[in-house]
PDB file of all heavy atoms in Angstrom:
ATOM      1  N   ILE A  86      -1.901 -48.872  25.730  1.00 98.00           N
ATOM      2  CA  ILE A  86      -2.944 -48.212  26.521  1.00 98.00           C
ATOM      3  C   ILE A  86      -3.569 -47.148  25.627  1.00 98.00           C
ATOM      4  O   ILE A  86      -2.863 -46.372  24.980  1.00 98.00           O
ATOM      5  CB  ILE A  86      -2.377 -47.558  27.802  1.00 98.00           C
ATOM      6  CG1 ILE A  86      -1.658 -48.586  28.665  1.00 98.00           C
ATOM      7  CG2 ILE A  86      -3.486 -46.908  28.599  1.00 98.00           C
ATOM      8  CD1 ILE A  86      -0.163 -48.625  28.462  1.00 98.00           C
ATOM      9  N   CYS A  87      -4.904 -47.114  25.588  1.00 98.00           N
ATOM     10  CA  CYS A  87      -5.630 -46.214  24.695  1.00 98.00           C
ATOM     11  C   CYS A  87      -6.460 -45.206  25.481  1.00 98.00           C
ATOM     12  O   CYS A  87      -6.733 -45.414  26.670  1.00 98.00           O
ATOM     13  CB  CYS A  87      -6.547 -47.021  23.771  1.00 98.00           C
ATOM     14  SG  CYS A  87      -5.712 -48.335  22.842  1.00 98.00           S
ATOM     15  N   GLU A  88      -6.891 -44.159  24.778  1.00 97.00           N
ATOM     16  CA  GLU A  88      -7.697 -43.051  25.305  1.00 97.00           C
ATOM     17  C   GLU A  88      -6.816 -42.109  26.147  1.00 97.00           C
ATOM     18  O   GLU A  88      -6.192 -42.533  27.119  1.00 97.00           O
ATOM     19  CB  GLU A  88      -8.897 -43.535  26.119  1.00 97.00           C
ATOM     20  CG  GLU A  88      -9.872 -44.389  25.332  1.00 97.00           C
ATOM     21  CD  GLU A  88     -10.563 -43.608  24.207  1.00 97.00           C
ATOM     22  OE1 GLU A  88     -10.852 -42.406  24.390  1.00 97.00           O
ATOM     23  OE2 GLU A  88     -10.809 -44.202  23.149  1.00 97.00           O
ATOM     24  N   SER A  89      -6.828 -40.836  25.758  1.00 97.00           N
ATOM     25  CA  SER A  89      -5.851 -39.890  26.291  1.00 97.00           C
ATOM     26  C   SER A  89      -5.866 -39.769  27.811  1.00 97.00           C
ATOM     27  O   SER A  89      -4.810 -39.808  28.455  1.00 97.00           O
ATOM     28  CB  SER A  89      -6.057 -38.505  25.662  1.00 97.00           C
ATOM     29  OG  SER A  89      -7.320 -37.960  26.010  1.00 97.00           O
ATOM     30  N   MET A  90      -7.043 -39.612  28.419  1.00 97.00           N
ATOM     31  CA  MET A  90      -7.071 -39.406  29.860  1.00 97.00           C
ATOM     32  C   MET A  90      -6.760 -40.683  30.627  1.00 97.00           C
ATOM     33  O   MET A  90      -6.207 -40.633  31.739  1.00 97.00           O
ATOM     34  CB  MET A  90      -8.419 -38.831  30.303  1.00 97.00           C
ATOM     35  CG  MET A  90      -8.747 -37.474  29.678  1.00 97.00           C
ATOM     36  SD  MET A  90      -7.376 -36.281  29.717  1.00 97.00           S
ATOM     37  CE  MET A  90      -7.156 -36.031  31.468  1.00 97.00           C
ATOM     38  N   ILE A  91      -7.086 -41.828  30.051  1.00 98.00           N
ATOM     39  CA  ILE A  91      -6.689 -43.105  30.662  1.00 98.00           C
ATOM     40  C   ILE A  91      -5.170 -43.234  30.611  1.00 98.00           C
ATOM     41  O   ILE A  91      -4.531 -43.673  31.576  1.00 98.00           O
ATOM     42  CB  ILE A  91      -7.370 -44.285  29.952  1.00 98.00           C
ATOM     43  CG1 ILE A  91      -8.876 -44.255  30.211  1.00 98.00           C
ATOM     44  CG2 ILE A  91      -6.781 -45.619  30.418  1.00 98.00           C
ATOM     45  CD1 ILE A  91      -9.666 -45.309  29.465  1.00 98.00           C
ATOM     46  N   ILE A  92      -4.592 -42.801  29.494  1.00 98.00           N
ATOM     47  CA  ILE A  92      -3.135 -42.835  29.359  1.00 98.00           C
ATOM     48  C   ILE A  92      -2.481 -41.921  30.390  1.00 98.00           C
ATOM     49  O   ILE A  92      -1.490 -42.292  31.040  1.00 98.00           O
ATOM     50  CB  ILE A  92      -2.713 -42.428  27.936  1.00 98.00           C
ATOM     51  CG1 ILE A  92      -3.184 -43.468  26.917  1.00 98.00           C
ATOM     52  CG2 ILE A  92      -1.191 -42.250  27.847  1.00 98.00           C
ATOM     53  CD1 ILE A  92      -2.993 -43.045  25.467  1.00 98.00           C
ATOM     54  N   VAL A  93      -3.033 -40.717  30.546  1.00 98.00           N
ATOM     55  CA  VAL A  93      -2.482 -39.765  31.521  1.00 98.00           C
ATOM     56  C   VAL A  93      -2.508 -40.368  32.924  1.00 98.00           C
ATOM     57  O   VAL A  93      -1.525 -40.285  33.677  1.00 98.00           O
ATOM     58  CB  VAL A  93      -3.255 -38.432  31.477  1.00 98.00           C
ATOM     59  CG1 VAL A  93      -2.848 -37.534  32.648  1.00 98.00           C
ATOM     60  CG2 VAL A  93      -3.010 -37.711  30.158  1.00 98.00           C
TER      61      VAL A  93
END
Side-chain angles (χ1 to χ4, degrees):
I86 303 96
C87 306
E88 299 295 324
S89 64
M90 299 314 296
I91 292 175
I92 294 171
V93 170

